[in-house]
Amino acid sequence: MMRRVRATRPAVLALVLVATVFAVDLCLPLGVASAVPYTFAVLIALGAKPAWVGPTVAVLCAVLTFAKMEIVPERGNTEMWKVIVNRCLALFAIGMTTLLGVLRRRAEAKVRQHEADLARMSRLAVAGELATVLAHELNQPLAAVCLQADMAALLATESTSGELRAALDEVAEQSHRAAEIVRSIRHTVRRTSAERGSVDLNEVVRVVARLLDWRARRTGVSVELHLAADPLPPTYGDRVQLEQVLFNLLQNAIEAVEAGSGPRTVVMETLPEGDWLTVRVRDTGPGLADPKRAFEQFYTTKPDGMGLGLAISRSIVVTHGGALTAATRPEGGAELTCVLPIYREEKA
């Protein structure tokens, strides 16, 4: 029973112990001896949540240690200076116990954080291996799908309905995109140099919006493009990877709007700012629960999410010399901002 109370209500148990010790201290001239049970109470309180309970109980013990002198003077012929010294020793014991307890609690928190980091790294390693295996296994089937999709699009005759031809074109485009993503993963795993070059962000945004147009239309989400006037200065990087980043941002925005009950609008905006290019994705969804944790690996608020999309996206943007940030808009919804450097060719 006592063990159960100590595990579930450490603050209550500590306060009961403090009250008992103070009552006994009022009756007996224990002097420094009263510090011993007070330190037990502090140790018990240090295990309580929130963290301020332990130090608060320690302060209470210290106050009661000296308050007893005013309420019930020490009996017998003990000189006052000895009483004060004993009480100071008691105060020292309480203080040292509190300090050591707080340091131990911080050390335990660091150990737990370190263990969580190791577990996260282990899961990342497993995810990397799975991605490698999937990229290898999906390469041939995707090549066959691309070929069959192209053949189906070519075999479509004039009598074929426009909707069917549009569907075939969509199948062909999406399959080629999937093949490009798999090829990019295989390049990354092989540690070969990525196929980098100048990238037109306006064009990337148009491609991504076109790829997700079917989903936006199906769910009644309006995707508005506010693109900077052409020609927009290019950035430098892997076009497929940058497409994947903006694809993730737009897809997340559409899913957020789907989950809400307000306006169903997503805005993608591009603009040059000095030596940088900015892409903003704004939505009218419920906003981010914790923007600081949005890019944390395996952190997700989606029931079926893995918490890797934004983390991988930020990693890609950082490797391109840019930054990816998230914020909740004051008027509601979320805003993801991707900043990339403008590419300027060196003149000979």
Side-chain angles (χ1 to χ4, degrees):
M1 181 65 181
M2 182 60 68
R3 183 176 298 177
R4 184 178 178 183
V5 172
R6 182 177 177 181
T8 58
R9 303 288 180 84
V12 175
L13 182 60
L15 290 176
V16 170
L17 183 56
V18 169
T20 303
V21 173
F22 183 64
V24 173
D25 197 21
L26 288 176
C27 301
L28 300 174
L30 294 176
V32 70
S34 62
V36 177
Y38 273 148
T39 55
F40 285 142
V42 172
L43 287 175
I44 293 172
L46 287 170
K49 294 181 179 178
W52 54 262
V53 172
T56 302
V57 171
V59 172
L60 176 62
C61 293
V63 171
L64 293 180
T65 298
F66 277 94
K68 185 260 181 182
M69 294 173 56
E70 298 294 333
I71 298 173
V72 180
E74 298 290 342
R75 292 176 293 184
N77 56 0
T78 305
E79 298 178 28
M80 182 52 67
W81 71 271
K82 291 181 180 179
V83 174
I84 294 175
V85 169
N86 285 339
R87 294 288 162 177
C88 288
L89 289 174
L91 189 62
F92 177 77
I94 294 170
M96 287 301 298
T97 301
T98 306
L99 176 62
L100 294 176
V102 170
L103 292 177
R104 188 193 66 178
R105 187 162 180 161
R106 290 179 179 176
E108 290 175 349
K110 288 183 178 179
V111 170
R112 287 195 294 271
Q113 181 63 40
H114 185 63
E115 290 175 349
D117 290 341
L118 289 178
R120 188 179 299 114
M121 293 300 296
S122 176
R123 291 197 295 271
L124 275 179
V126 173
E129 291 179 3
L130 284 175
T132 304
V133 173
L134 287 174
H136 176 74
E137 297 295 333
L138 290 176
N139 188 47
Q140 292 300 328
L142 274 176
V145 170
C146 291
L147 178 61
Q148 296 299 322
D150 289 340
M151 289 181 62
L154 290 174
L155 291 174
T157 63
E158 294 182 355
S159 59
T160 306
S161 68
E163 291 183 353
L164 179 56
R165 284 199 298 273
L168 290 174
D169 291 340
E170 184 70 23
V171 170
E173 189 171 9
Q174 294 284 5
S175 59
H176 280 291
R177 170 175 167 72
E180 285 289 314
I181 293 173
V182 169
R183 182 181 57 79
S184 178
I185 294 174
R186 288 165 63 87
H187 273 290
T188 303
V189 173
R190 287 176 183 171
R191 295 185 179 179
T192 56
S193 57
E195 294 183 3
R196 297 196 169 205
S198 62
V199 179
D200 184 344
L201 279 183
N202 274 354
E203 181 58 27
V204 172
V205 170
R206 292 190 188 99
V207 169
V208 169
R210 188 169 64 248
L211 289 172
L212 285 170
D213 179 64
W214 63 274
R215 176 161 187 173
R217 283 189 283 110
R218 188 187 65 183
T219 55
V221 177
S222 173
V223 178
E224 300 177 3
L225 302 185
H226 298 174
L227 305 183
D230 290 327
L232 184 69
T235 187
Y236 185 82
D238 186 318
R239 181 184 59 81
V240 176
Q241 290 186 353
L242 294 178
E243 279 184 4
Q244 188 62 32
V245 170
L246 298 186
F247 186 91
N248 286 338
L249 300 187
L250 181 57
Q251 181 173 253
N252 287 345
I254 293 174
E255 291 176 353
V257 172
E258 289 175 11
S261 57
R264 304 173 75 81
T265 304
V266 175
V267 176
M268 293 191 77
E269 176 187 34
T270 62
L271 66 158
E273 294 180 322
D275 293 332
W276 302 88
L277 297 171
T278 299
V279 181
R280 290 196 180 93
V281 181
R282 297 192 294 269
D283 64 63
T284 54
L288 299 170
D290 189 350
K292 293 182 179 178
R293 299 189 63 189
F295 302 103
E296 188 176 309
Q297 292 161 353
F298 300 109
Y299 172 77
T300 179
T301 57
K302 302 177 185 176
D304 56 347
M306 293 183 63
L308 289 174
L310 285 180
I312 293 173
S313 297
R314 186 173 67 170
S315 176
I316 291 173
V317 173
V318 170
T319 59
H320 282 73
L324 183 60
T325 58
T328 297
R329 303 168 64 204
E331 60 270 38
E335 179 175 289
L336 279 294
T337 303
C338 173
V339 180
L340 292 165
I342 290 178
Y343 173 54
R344 303 187 190 281
E345 292 188 26
E346 295 183 359
K347 297 181 181 179

